[in-house]
Amino acid sequence: MLIAALIPLLGGAALPLLRPRSRKARTVYVVGITSITSLLALRLLLAGAADVTVLSLSDAFRLTFGLDGLGRVFLALIAFLWPLAALYATEYMEHEDREDTFFAFYTMTYGVMVLFCCARNIFTLYVLYECITMATLPLVWHKRDVDSVRAARAYVRYSIGSAAFAFSAMVVLSVYGSGDFAPGGIALGEMPELLRGVCFLAAFFGFGVKAAVFPLCAWLPRASAAPTPVTALLHAVAVVNAGVFSVLRMIYYIFGSDGLAGSWAQDIALAASVATIIFGAVLAVRETHVKRKLAWSTVSNLGYMLLGASLMLGDGLRGSLLHMVCHSLMKMGLFSCIGAVMVQTGRSRVWELRGLARKMPAVFGFFAFGAVALMGIPPLCGFVSKLALAEAALELEGVWGWIGVGALLLSTVLTAIYQLSVLLPAFFLPPDEGAASIAGRCDPGWRMLLPMAVMAAAVLAVGVHPQPLIDALTAAVGLVR
Amino acid sequence: MYIELMLALPVLGAVATCLAARRGERLRDRIYLTELTLVFALALAGFVGCARGGAFAAALPGICGMGLTFRMDGFRALYALVASFMWLMTGLMSPEYFAHYENRTRYYLFNQLTLLGTLGVFLSDDLYTCFVFFEIMSLASYPWVAHDENPGAMGAAGTYLAIAVFGGMVTLMGLFLTWQRLGALNFDALSAAQGRADMILPAALILVGFGAKAGLFPLYVWLPKAHPVAPAPASALLSGVLTKTGVFGMLLVCLRLMSGCVPFGNAMLALGLITMLLGALLALFSTNLKRILACSSMSQIGYITVGVAMATLLGEEGSVPASGAVMHMVNHSMLKLTLFMAAGVVYMNLHKLELDDIRGFGRGKPALHAAFLLGALGLAGVPLFNGYLGKTLIHEGILEYAGELGGFSVYNVCEWVFLFAAGITTAYMLKIYVALFWQRHPSRQAEYDGRNGGYMNRRTTFALCASMIVIPILGLFPGILEAASRLSASFTGVEGVRGVRFFSLENLRGGGISLLIGALVYLFVVRKLLYRKGKYIAVGFEWNWRESRAARAALRAVDALCAAVDHALENPFLMETVPDAATVVARIASEAVDDAARLMRSTALRSSSAHSDRKHAAYRAFSHVVGSVLNGFAVLMNLTVLRGNPIQVDFTYVLAARIYDKDPELGRATRTVSFGLLLFAAGLLVVLVYLILL
């Protein structure tokens, strides 16, 4: 397990020292390292791993790594997507500077993420949560223009600032319990009701900042100033899901869904989730920069996952994980397509994409898959996960279940509006003069197309036959009621 | 395996046509037609099997989440047959019709995907499956409407999609409610829940989506826009089959779930009557051939809805109106297939649809004439043609319920509305027929006559003839449709009819009255008011207040209603101001952290110059002391360990330089609210440690 994390960490750090002579050598190196890591992760997933304590500050504060059901789900997702994203990045980054630096941090982040999946207690989780912030920061300001630096500043401000809340929650918890993750929550002894609620909300909003929970979501769209592979993998999949993952850990493995269900703290968490869903979707409709539009859509979709998490039901956890997987597939495909468009044509506003489907049929074909799936049209995978979430919400007796379902449906309509406002003009309107002058087709090379194709295939496969995935998720989180 | 095969064929066909399109158009067209023929053959075989009392069932557990279940029996087999027949007929016409179009492969692709969706809806055995395929169908038919890619088509397609998505979501909400209250979604569970008061809300929600697809008031706005702009084969399918998927859902909800529920039935009756009358009036006042046919579709859906509503009101005794609704569904599909294909023939020759432009085109063209005449006679409900049968039974259903109540009731008024709308149907069909086949074009008549004999190819002629021949056959042998109604009994839950005396004096009188009304309306409204100086006057959405005064008072209400529904979608306050205000509020909330940081920076954490000077002085003293200590340490090291390679750095300068040149970002970071929070957390930690140790 540690080897799997060390390979990308060291391999990434060594990249600026090795200074590969040609692009090809670097491509082979980067893709090779990430693939090996993924293979090791696969072995880890199959064989399992015993807990390893690396560092022990005290009984409450130990760095312990191990793999349980929830961690497995996230690790599998990361391990599947990272090599594909790296492959995509190797072609995309030919258009940017300082490739060595970029790939060094890109690869190192993988190592941090692997360790993050394997965190076994709240202290380890917190430490790696901060490590993720640090490892991805150079990627956000990679372009070094005004927007990127501002985005990076906002990113740090939000992440570190809010993690302080998580930190304080962790400290308070350490007084009452061990902090080791246990399905169904740890024994919190005589922790007062009020303190437990406050502590939970501190952890929810503290870790939730990476999941862009409502009042703390402004950093995510700004961070889309980063190069597209970063947005596609980190700000649609890895980093934001790390936020959701932490929140899931807090709810189902620390505080325990039984202890929180029905409390005022749950009401606040649900309200924040619903607000995230609607707010993200509304701003996605109003945004005209395609990448930021997708980023707002990510905010909305993270709201779905947080909604599933804060339902405090076993089915909610499963729905949340299912949407995490499905959303990762859809959004990574969508961002990859938009990145390809931006690189090939330099266009990024909604009205600039008019008629481009004729020039880039493959890219927009894959884009259509992702967009329609995100709208939740059967038989693609967005429908399945939204349905699972809605079913879980209905299990919650009372008004919150209906508010949740209502928010899901409303945001689905909004999703249709913002996705179709990109998709339909691209297919059905004639291209403007600049685009019409592009001779022939300008689809990108296979290294960019392959990840898109894999995502589209996965979106269809999961949508048509989701049962194996649902069973796997159920088994993975089986112990949680 | 049978149903799976039927559903797999369109998917395979879609892939194959896309691949074959690269090889050549003839191969593509051939594959397309072969596939449609196969689907039709399968549907026919299945129908024959079901007519003998068999049934097919299939289940795909786990697919699409909850698993799909299918069943092919009676009514479902019948509609699978109707749908595949219509697809085949329009498919035969498509190669010629689309000869001058672009993006044909796209049309074929989405055409086949829509076929998949439509068959899936008609063969489904639970609401979930029905919904899944309903959504596929809604989305896949969007490119049909948008096919021309001009502003008119894009606008209509946008409206179509908006209504479809909205309706779909409301239906999904209804599905969730049903699932919560019944714990099952299969059709038998719906029958079992009949009469439950808590199911009215879910039933109404489910109906929204299906009603929107059927073109029911008030969600019909997409229909008069979308049908005229779509290519004619697509219009025929939109009008003949896709609206029927909406009716399918209506049958399910009304006859299975809500049977016998009087308030629900009355609401449906009101909606049906409004749709029927509104559609008929819109058709009467339009001058675009396909628009007239589209509005007429809306009106006919109104008839079917009235039939369904009467069956709901009558409950278990509703076999007459329920059979009428089923018959009129089949009849309307066949009639609109013929009429839209005839309109398509006109359009592919002239590329025009306004009655003034196409006037006289049909003169001397017997096949076209026959097709159109049969369609018009059927639609107007003339005895011996198929439309008469369904309308008669629905009419009888109204009378039956009115008779049950006794005396004079509101249902007697409904009957007269029904007859009046049927009369208007006659009038507008007469209007098209006279214009197209009897009047002469003022300037281009010779050119039109020159095309006689070569205005459509053999395949199109065959398709047109095969479609029109069904109309008199069904009309002359009512036994066929009666058998169909008995077959449908297992689906509708009420018995079919047998041995109805369609041509009794009683029934003929109803038909006669409406034909009379039709003739009067034609003579006094169409010829006197809507035909001036040799030109047809259009009144409707684009109604010009200044020109025609006569019909103004009667139509003001209709127009205002249409405009209100249509313009609600474009209302600036509703669509812009409210979201703007909400966005501002939410933005303020979401930027609160940043604003707080900015506020802190400009107030409590502002770095005054005096303050920073004092800090620098402190830094200088600090760096001097530390530097001196390090210098001393370096001297010591130079004397002992590093004698060969002494350190020659003055640490006081180095440290001072470091501090002055420090990154301004770092300095700013220490002054942010985040840093303050970190310190706060650290302080909290200290306090806690203190408390624990105490």
Side-chain angles (χ1 to χ4, degrees):
Chain A
M1 173 169 52
L2 294 177
I3 301 171
L6 282 178
I7 285 181
L9 278 177
L10 296 179
L15 187 62
L17 302 176
L18 294 173
R19 292 183 186 279
R21 290 223 190 89
S22 65
R23 285 221 166 100
K24 197 161 185 187
R26 190 188 312 111
T27 302
V28 172
Y29 181 79
V30 170
V31 176
I33 292 244
T34 46
S35 307
I36 291 172
T37 313
S38 287
L39 286 177
L40 284 173
L42 182 67
R43 194 180 156 272
L44 209 60
L45 286 171
L46 295 176
D51 286 4
V52 185
T53 301
V54 180
L55 180 70
S56 182
L57 299 175
S58 72
D59 277 353
F61 301 116
R62 283 172 290 118
L63 276 181
T64 308
F65 298 102
L67 205 53
D68 70 343
L70 195 65
R72 259 171 225 262
V73 173
F74 198 27
L75 183 60
L77 184 65
I78 300 276
F80 173 57
L81 294 178
W82 215 285
L84 288 169
L87 188 68
Y88 177 86
T90 53
E91 185 175 338
Y92 184 93
M93 293 307 289
E94 287 174 9
H95 305 274
E96 306 254 349
D97 298 331
R98 296 187 299 282
E99 289 166 69
D100 278 340
T101 325
F102 177 85
F103 281 109
F105 284 105
Y106 206 65
T107 321
M108 282 165 74
T109 310
Y110 191 9
V112 178
M113 289 305 303
V114 170
L115 286 179
F116 180 80
C117 298
C118 299
R120 286 299 289 137
N121 57 36
I122 184 168
F123 176 67
T124 320
L125 189 80
Y126 171 76
V127 169
L128 284 156
Y129 188 84
E130 296 290 25
C131 288
I132 293 175
T133 311
M134 290 305 148
T136 53
L137 190 59
L139 296 171
V140 176
W141 76 38
H142 183 80
K143 280 188 192 159
R144 301 202 183 166
D145 53 5
V146 179
D147 278 353
S148 309
V149 172
R150 280 207 188 125
R153 207 184 287 157
Y155 181 45
V156 170
R157 189 190 298 146
Y158 275 90
S159 287
I160 308 266
S162 299
F165 284 108
F167 183 79
S168 27
M170 174 180 88
V171 171
V172 174
L173 274 174
S174 69
V175 176
Y176 291 97
S178 71
D180 289 338
F181 297 137
I186 54 174
L188 284 172
E190 64 274 25
M191 193 170 188
E193 191 68 32
L194 181 67
L195 185 60
R196 176 194 290 232
V198 172
C199 197
F200 163 68
L201 284 182
F204 182 83
F205 285 100
F207 283 124
V209 67
K210 277 212 164 62
V213 67
F214 167 56
L216 309 171
C217 50
W219 67 271
L220 184 58
R222 285 190 220 163
S224 67
T228 308
V230 176
T231 329
L233 182 63
L234 300 180
H235 294 142
V237 180
V239 169
V240 290
N241 283 354
V244 177
F245 181 78
S246 310
V247 170
L248 289 174
R249 281 288 196 205
M250 285 303 117
I251 294 177
Y252 294 95
Y253 289 78
I254 290 286
F255 290 93
S257 45
D258 291 347
L260 287 170
S263 67
W264 57 274
Q266 187 194 13
D267 291 345
I268 294 180
L270 281 168
S273 313
V274 169
T276 313
I277 295 177
I278 304 294
F279 181 64
V282 169
L283 284 197
V285 170
R286 303 180 60 77
E287 182 62 61
T288 57
H289 188 282
V290 185
K291 230 167 125 185
R292 278 204 290 276
K293 209 177 180 73
L294 287 180
W296 278 119
S297 139
T298 307
V299 171
S300 171
N301 279 281
L302 289 167
Y304 291 172
M305 299 172 215
L306 289 176
L307 176 70
S310 39
L311 290 175
M312 319 265 171
L313 297 162
D315 280 351
L317 171 60
R318 198 178 57 190
S320 183
L321 283 175
L322 188 60
H323 196 67
M324 187 193 277
V325 174
C326 292
H327 174 253
S328 303
L329 298 174
M330 300 185 279
K331 203 41 89 49
M332 189 160 142
L334 286 173
F335 268 121
S336 309
C337 295
I338 287 302
V341 173
M342 286 170 68
V343 159
Q344 299 284 332
T345 65
R347 289 151 180 261
S348 58
R349 294 281 170 178
V350 171
W351 57 84
E352 290 176 338
L353 302 186
R354 271 186 12 176
L356 276 185
R358 280 164 222 203
K359 301 293 171 189
M360 314 177 81
V363 169
F364 274 95
F366 295 134
F367 185 84
F369 257 90
V372 175
L374 204 64
M375 284 164 59
I377 300 298
L380 300 175
C381 71
F383 179 68
V384 175
S385 59
K386 285 187 189 182
L387 189 73
L389 280 173
E391 272 177 32
L394 284 181
E395 274 179 47
L396 196 68
E397 307 267 312
V399 69
W400 275 112
W402 289 109
I403 292 178
V405 173
L408 279 175
L409 291 177
L410 178 59
S411 76
T412 301
V413 173
L414 292 171
T415 311
I417 296 173
Y418 67 71
Q419 289 293 357
L420 292 175
S421 67
V422 178
L423 190 65
L424 297 180
F427 274 97
F428 291 100
L429 287 183
D432 57 25
E433 284 170 14
S437 65
I438 299 171
R441 294 180 172 181
C442 57
D443 276 329
W446 70 271
R447 281 182 290 161
M448 280 166 103
L449 284 178
L450 179 70
M452 298 177 206
V454 173
M455 292 306 134
V459 162
L460 184 63
V462 171
V464 170
H465 199 54
Q467 209 55 46
L469 179 63
I470 293 175
D471 289 345
L473 291 179
T474 312
V477 297
L479 288 169
V480 175
R481 272 206 310 119
Chain B
M1 276 322 288
Y2 186 79
I3 291 173
E4 284 97 324
L5 185 63
M6 227 165 126
L7 293 175
L9 268 174
V11 180
L12 294 177
V15 176
T17 41
C18 279
L19 292 177
R22 302 188 175 184
R23 287 292 190 78
E25 289 177 359
R26 295 194 61 161
L27 182 64
R28 177 194 64 196
D29 293 353
R30 209 168 288 165
I31 290 180
Y32 175 65
L33 288 177
T34 315
E35 180 240 313
L36 292 183
T37 316
L38 280 176
V39 172
F40 175 65
L42 276 178
L44 189 62
F47 177 74
V48 170
C50 292
R52 288 182 180 161
F56 302 89
L60 301 170
I63 301 293
C64 287
M66 288 176 70
L68 306 176
T69 55
F70 302 96
R71 193 175 161 81
M72 190 177 185
D73 61 2
F75 179 74
R76 282 173 270 198
L78 174 69
Y79 243 88
L81 179 69
V82 171
S84 58
F85 176 72
M86 294 188 60
W87 240 276
L88 180 61
M89 289 303 131
T90 54
L92 282 172
M93 183 187 183
S94 295
E96 192 189 2
Y97 185 86
F98 283 102
H100 303 294
Y101 273 83
E102 286 181 11
N103 295 324
R104 270 172 289 171
T105 309
R106 182 179 77 194
Y107 173 78
Y108 286 133
L109 169 67
F110 284 102
N111 184 283
Q112 281 156 310
L113 289 180
T114 312
L115 175 60
L116 167 75
T118 312
L119 285 177
V121 170
F122 285 134
L123 295 178
S124 58
D125 197 31
D126 63 310
L127 276 176
Y128 181 75
T129 312
C130 189
F131 178 77
V132 166
F133 284 95
F134 191 76
E135 286 292 287
I136 293 176
M137 184 191 76
S138 289
L139 262 278
S141 51
Y142 171 87
W144 294 7
V145 184
H147 193 86
D148 284 350
E149 299 187 0
N150 54 30
M154 292 306 288
T159 310
Y160 176 57
L161 197 62
I163 300 257
V165 169
F166 167 75
M169 286 309 115
V170 178
T171 299
L172 189 58
M173 191 79 190
L175 247 61
F176 286 147
L177 268 174
T178 314
W179 172 252
Q180 192 211 19
R181 291 181 187 179
L182 298 182
L185 288 177
N186 59 337
F187 292 166
D188 291 337
L190 295 185
S191 308
Q194 208 172 79
R196 274 176 59 169
D198 64 342
M199 290 308 293
I200 290 185
L201 179 64
L205 290 177
I206 293 175
L207 263 187
V208 172
F210 287 117
K213 184 61 70 189
L216 210 57
F217 178 86
L219 288 174
Y220 66 89
V221 283
W222 65 274
L223 200 146
K225 284 186 181 178
H227 288 200
V229 296
S235 311
L237 295 177
L238 276 172
S239 172
V241 188
L242 265 63
T243 53
K244 300 300 178 297
T245 58
V247 179
F248 180 84
M250 228 186 297
L251 285 176
L252 264 179
V253 172
C254 293
L255 297 185
R256 291 213 165 199
L257 199 54
M258 285 291 120
S259 179
C261 178
V262 176
F264 201 82
N266 281 332
M268 289 300 292
L269 180 65
L271 289 181
L273 285 173
I274 294 175
T275 313
M276 180 169 82
L277 200 59
L278 189 61
L281 288 173
L282 284 176
L284 186 69
F285 295 130
S286 301
T287 55
N288 177 309
L289 173 58
K290 271 165 83 181
R291 194 183 140 92
I292 295 177
L293 293 180
C295 296
S296 141
S297 286
M298 189 181 141
S299 171
Q300 303 302 314
I301 294 293
Y303 285 104
I304 300 171
T305 312
V306 170
V308 175
M310 294 324 293
T312 313
L313 286 171
L314 284 164
E316 284 175 5
E317 295 150 14
S319 77
V320 171
S323 305
V326 169
M327 284 186 192
H328 204 58
M329 271 176 86
V330 177
N331 291 338
H332 180 240
S333 292
M334 290 302 143
L335 290 168
K336 276 292 145 62
L337 173 68
T338 313
L339 287 171
F340 267 111
M341 275 171 48
V345 170
V346 173
Y347 185 75
M348 84 189 172
N349 279 286
L350 302 182
H351 296 285
K352 291 207 170 73
L353 286 170
E354 284 297 319
L355 286 186
D356 288 334
D357 296 324
I358 59 175
R359 191 186 302 174
F361 177 74
R363 293 171 68 93
K365 299 185 176 60
L368 189 64
H369 195 143
F372 203 92
L373 184 60
L374 284 175
L377 290 172
L379 207 61
V382 176
L384 301 182
F385 298 94
N386 64 356
Y388 171 74
L389 307 179
K391 285 189 182 184
T392 302
L393 284 189
I394 296 171
H395 181 225
E396 209 167 286
I398 302 179
L399 287 179
E400 203 173 297
Y401 192 66
E404 213 170 80
L405 293 180
F408 184 83
S409 62
V410 70
Y411 298 97
N412 296 85
V413 182
C414 294
E415 186 214 344
W416 278 96
V417 174
F418 184 92
L419 291 179
F420 182 64
I424 299 180
T425 311
T426 315
Y428 64 71
M429 287 318 288
L430 204 58
K431 170 176 160 182
I432 311 179
Y433 175 69
V434 170
L436 201 53
F437 295 97
W438 293 101
Q439 291 181 321
R440 287 171 171 278
H441 194 279
S443 53
R444 298 174 63 187
Q445 190 58 46
E447 183 195 335
Y448 290 172
D449 289 341
R451 296 189 192 224
N452 289 355
Y455 61 99
M456 56 181 175
N457 70 12
R458 258 187 297 172
R459 250 200 310 220
T460 309
T461 316
F462 170 74
L464 203 57
C465 292
S467 315
M468 72 181 171
I469 203 73
V470 179
I471 297 169
I473 289 181
L474 290 181
L476 287 170
F477 304 102
I480 303 176
L481 280 177
E482 283 185 349
S485 80
R486 288 197 298 279
L487 261 183
S488 311
S490 63
F491 184 79
T492 56
V494 286
E495 284 171 21
V497 290
R498 185 189 292 275
V500 179
R501 294 176 62 215
F502 282 104
F503 303 110
S504 70
L505 206 60
E506 193 77 3
N507 286 331
L508 284 171
R509 202 177 64 191
I513 291 173
S514 34
L515 288 179
L516 189 68
I517 294 175
L520 291 175
V521 169
Y522 180 76
L523 285 177
F524 292 104
V525 178
V526 175
R527 299 303 297 217
K528 295 283 178 206
L529 297 178
L530 299 175
Y531 187 71
R532 292 263 174 85
K533 296 173 192 159
K535 282 193 183 302
Y536 286 96
I537 299 168
V539 186
F541 287 105
E542 303 84 15
W543 148 271
N544 191 339
W545 293 108
R546 276 162 297 181
E547 276 186 20
S548 170
R549 290 181 192 160
R552 192 159 153 179
L555 281 171
R556 187 177 270 163
V558 175
D559 188 69
L561 210 57
C562 299
V565 176
D566 199 38
H567 287 236
L569 292 169
E570 290 157 18
N571 184 343
F573 179 75
L574 211 64
M575 304 308 287
E576 282 171 24
T577 316
V578 173
D580 274 341
T583 313
V584 168
V585 171
R587 267 256 161 92
I588 290 171
S590 90
E591 301 272 333
V593 173
D594 283 343
D595 290 338
R598 258 174 242 135
L599 193 71
M600 296 278 278
R601 210 150 76 199
S602 57
T603 54
L605 298 173
R606 190 174 53 166
S607 45
S608 67
S609 56
H611 172 81
S612 86
D613 274 356
R614 216 179 308 137
K615 212 153 96 185
H616 282 172
Y619 279 146
R620 220 178 297 144
F622 175 72
S623 70
H624 187 75
V625 172
V626 176
S628 306
V629 171
L630 284 174
N631 278 347
F633 184 69
V635 170
L636 203 66
M637 295 289 278
N638 287 349
L639 287 176
T640 55
V641 188
L642 300 169
R643 201 176 290 167
N645 184 17
I647 300 171
Q648 290 171 331
V649 180
D650 188 340
F651 283 99
T652 51
Y653 286 115
V654 173
L655 286 180
R658 278 281 160 85
I659 286 175
Y660 286 124
D661 296 347
K662 72 183 166 29
D663 190 359
E665 285 298 314
L666 190 73
R668 200 171 289 168
T670 60
R671 293 199 291 271
T672 58
V673 68
S674 317
F675 191 71
L677 286 171
L678 260 183
L679 290 182
F680 171 72
L684 200 65
L685 174 71
V686 171
V687 171
L688 280 165
V689 168
Y690 175 73
L691 283 175
I692 297 164
L693 291 181
L694 217 67

